[in-house]
Amino acid sequence: MTYQHSPAARSGNRVSAGAASDAKTFLAATLLTFSAGLVVLIGYGMAGGFGAFLGIIGAVFGVMWWRSLHDKVFPRDLPNSSLIGVTAAAVVLGLIVLALS
């Protein structure tokens, strides 16, 4: 009679790819939300309530575009270039908001 050992059970989280991946996903989620809010704020500052409505539509399309790039809104393995891009977009949008005020 032979006995086969079962593989050792992993104690880690199967959903997560690690702490660095989780931190990048959290940062991307924060920056996407912040950028969407800035787009709405820019629209409101430029055209009032209708501009805010257009900003909401623009924010939704921005998130849809992000999803088309990564197959998910918050992918498990986010490339560094995407994180740098969303950071740069948030900085530019923030500077536009400061220029409008």
Side-chain angles (χ1 to χ4, degrees):
M1 178 184 252
T2 61
Y3 180 75
Q4 295 180 353
H5 292 282
S6 62
R10 295 185 349 182
S11 62
N13 186 352
R14 291 185 183 183
V15 175
S16 175
S21 175
D22 291 345
K24 285 184 355 183
T25 301
F26 176 75
L27 186 59
T30 303
L31 288 172
L32 279 173
T33 305
F34 182 68
S35 296
L38 288 177
V39 168
V40 175
L41 186 61
I42 290 169
Y44 181 76
M46 294 181 78
F50 182 68
F53 176 71
L54 291 178
I56 291 169
I57 292 173
V60 168
F61 278 113
V63 171
M64 288 172 50
W65 174 74
W66 176 270
R67 184 175 182 255
S68 73
L69 286 177
H70 302 291
D71 297 327
K72 291 182 180 180
V73 176
F74 305 118
R76 182 175 178 176
D77 296 318
L78 186 67
N80 288 335
S81 60
S82 294
L83 192 58
I84 292 169
V86 75
T87 303
V91 168
V92 169
L93 290 171
L95 291 175
I96 291 171
V97 167
L98 286 176
L100 289 175
S101 62

